[in-house]
Amino acid sequence: MTTIKELAKACGVSVATVSNILNNKGGASEETKQKVLKAAKEMNYTPNIVAKNLKMRNTRSIGVIAEDMTIFSIPDIIDGITQQCEEADYHILLTNLRLFKKHEDTYYHKQDYYEDVHKEIRKLQSKQVEGIIYISAHERVIKCIPEDIRIPAVMAYGYSDTAKIPSIVVDDEEGAYQLVSHLAAMGHKQIGVITGKKDSLHMQARLEGFQRALFDNSILFNPKFCMTGDWNRESGYSNTDALIDQGVTAIFCMNDVMAGGVYDRLEERGLKVGEDISIVGFDNREVSSYYKPPLTTTTLPLHDIGYKASEVMMGLLAHEELPEKEGIYKVPCEFLLRKSVGKISE
């Protein structure tokens, strides 16, 4: 690789002159300028951007720490971060902690892995990244980023519990509200729900949206219509009979996977989705569009969470005043109307 010193020597000028010409600064004659530019092209000279940025203390790089790349939510979030960084002329340095591979979901409510996070932050800082984006595999309160970190940090798909580190999360409550309001608009008043795990922030917010939709549509909340699931298909299957036997006409499943279990059990009972029983899900997992009939659901805005996290990071780097004083940014879901909901005749 040709160096700037070699280029200057070949042209018979100083390194400073070459640098000024390549950076569009004045001080050289047109003849010298053309001579240097021609030589740079012929000698295939490429400027050392890394060295230049380090000198200016501006590497135009963001460190991204992902809890586990095998979790379905994380790749789309990274894609959103990457897109926004490309638009801002930044690049990312990605670290995969592989926490789910090592511990499954047992680490969600522990702090044992925090030192691993701190170690990766130190590594990224040694590479002169300008900021850190941490991507959670599952929304929860995570205090793994030191508050005294000397560069900006953003939490994607999780809550940092401090306004100093902005949190970018799903607007689960509004997403659930839209789904259940649609059931009510289709005439359903006996609406059951299969929740996720009780300690999940996703579940808690979606339950609030469910209850708010019932209230706004003058439907009384019946605790007997509320079944506890665990996000897996089996829990959808096993909770179906109790809801059907109590006379519900519609079921809100807090994710598409559990909805698949409900489909399984309804088929065994000879009941048709969208005709005998209406079903809505959440997340827009790829499989939901292949259910028969396709499942009405809402898109988990993973790409948008990544994009927003990067956008907020750019604001921090520019020392802009961020609009959310509490540091929590809720990204809206997209309602997807398919064919799993039928209308109740009055």
Side-chain angles (χ1 to χ4, degrees):
M1 182 182 291
T2 303
T3 67
I4 193 169
K5 288 182 179 180
E6 291 170 339
L7 182 58
K9 184 178 180 180
C11 295
V13 297
S14 68
V15 170
T17 298
V18 173
S19 178
N20 287 338
I21 291 171
L22 294 178
N23 288 289
N24 294 316
K25 295 181 180 179
S29 67
E30 184 62 26
E31 180 182 355
T32 301
K33 179 179 177 182
Q34 292 305 320
K35 181 180 180 180
V36 169
L37 293 176
K38 181 182 178 183
K41 184 176 182 181
E42 291 175 349
M43 297 173 70
N44 197 27
Y45 170 74
T46 303
N48 190 335
I49 299 298
V50 173
K52 178 182 175 182
N53 287 339
L54 286 173
K55 185 177 180 181
M56 297 174 65
R57 296 190 178 182
N58 180 5
T59 61
R60 301 197 74 79
S61 64
I62 300 297
V64 176
I65 301 175
E67 287 190 345
D68 199 305
M69 288 286 293
T70 64
I71 299 298
F72 84 95
S73 55
I74 287 183
D76 279 348
I77 296 175
I78 292 174
D79 186 56
I81 293 171
T82 303
Q83 180 186 343
Q84 205 286 329
C85 280
E86 285 179 354
E87 293 171 5
D89 193 26
Y90 270 71
H91 67 276
I92 68 170
L93 299 181
L94 177 62
T95 295
N96 180 20
L97 295 175
R98 302 183 68 251
L99 293 176
F100 194 86
K101 279 285 188 180
K102 295 173 182 175
H103 312 290
E104 296 191 336
D105 62 0
T106 59
Y107 77 92
Y108 285 170
H109 301 289
K110 296 181 180 178
Q111 298 182 8
D112 302 357
Y113 65 95
Y114 281 13
E115 184 50 44
D116 292 336
V117 178
H118 297 166
K119 184 169 133 184
E120 294 304 326
I121 288 175
R122 290 192 293 269
K123 284 182 183 178
L124 289 167
Q125 286 180 310
S126 72
K127 296 175 182 176
Q128 303 297 311
V129 296
E130 295 181 42
I132 300 281
I133 298 177
Y134 184 90
I135 308 174
S136 165
H138 185 75
E139 277 190 12
R140 61 196 194 280
V141 176
I142 314 168
K143 301 180 181 180
C144 63
I145 302 175
E147 283 197 51
D148 61 352
I149 187 171
R150 57 183 176 81
I151 57 176
V154 174
M155 178 73 66
Y157 207 47
Y159 292 85
S160 68
D161 207 29
T162 171
K164 294 179 181 178
I165 301 171
S167 302
I168 320 299
V169 296
V170 179
D171 194 344
D172 284 295
E173 181 180 344
E174 186 60 27
Y177 180 86
Q178 291 177 354
L179 287 163
V180 180
S181 293
H182 173 64
L183 292 175
M186 294 295 281
H188 295 276
K189 296 186 182 300
Q190 306 297 312
I191 304 173
V193 59
I194 301 176
T195 74
K197 292 184 178 181
K198 290 183 178 180
D199 60 357
S200 167
L201 295 181
H202 292 290
M203 187 285 287
Q204 294 162 15
R206 292 174 194 180
L207 186 60
E208 288 179 16
F210 171 78
Q211 293 174 319
R212 182 161 62 89
L214 294 182
F215 180 83
D216 286 353
N217 287 280
S218 301
I219 301 172
L220 290 176
F221 172 73
N222 186 344
K224 293 182 179 179
F225 289 175
C226 186
M227 302 293 166
T228 302
D230 62 5
W231 305 119
N232 294 312
R233 194 177 185 113
E234 173 57 32
S235 69
Y237 179 95
S238 61
N239 280 302
T240 300
D241 283 344
L243 291 173
I244 299 304
D245 293 344
Q246 291 183 86
V248 303
T249 61
I251 301 174
F252 166 41
C253 299
M254 286 196 181
N255 77 352
D256 298 340
V257 175
M258 292 190 297
V262 176
Y263 271 58
D264 294 341
R265 183 57 186 144
L266 292 178
E267 183 179 10
E268 290 177 353
R269 292 184 58 151
L271 298 173
K272 293 184 178 181
V273 175
E275 296 181 22
D276 301 310
I277 300 292
S278 292
I279 309 293
V280 295
F282 207 110
D283 292 348
N284 189 31
R285 299 289 286 271
E286 185 177 356
V287 68
S288 67
S289 64
Y290 295 103
Y291 291 161
K292 295 182 179 180
L295 179 67
T296 292
T297 186
T298 189
T299 297
L300 203 59
L302 301 172
H303 179 277
D304 293 345
I305 285 175
Y307 191 95
K308 186 65 179 179
S310 183
E311 202 171 52
V312 170
M313 174 59 71
M314 297 306 155
L316 291 171
L317 293 174
H319 305 290
E320 295 175 359
E321 184 174 346
L322 299 179
E324 299 296 336
K325 301 299 182 184
E326 294 181 359
I328 298 175
Y329 295 78
K330 293 186 177 181
V331 181
C333 303
E334 180 186 357
F335 176 76
L336 293 176
L337 178 61
R338 293 185 180 135
K339 297 181 178 181
S340 62
V341 177
K343 187 173 180 62
I344 295 290
S345 301
E346 294 184 4

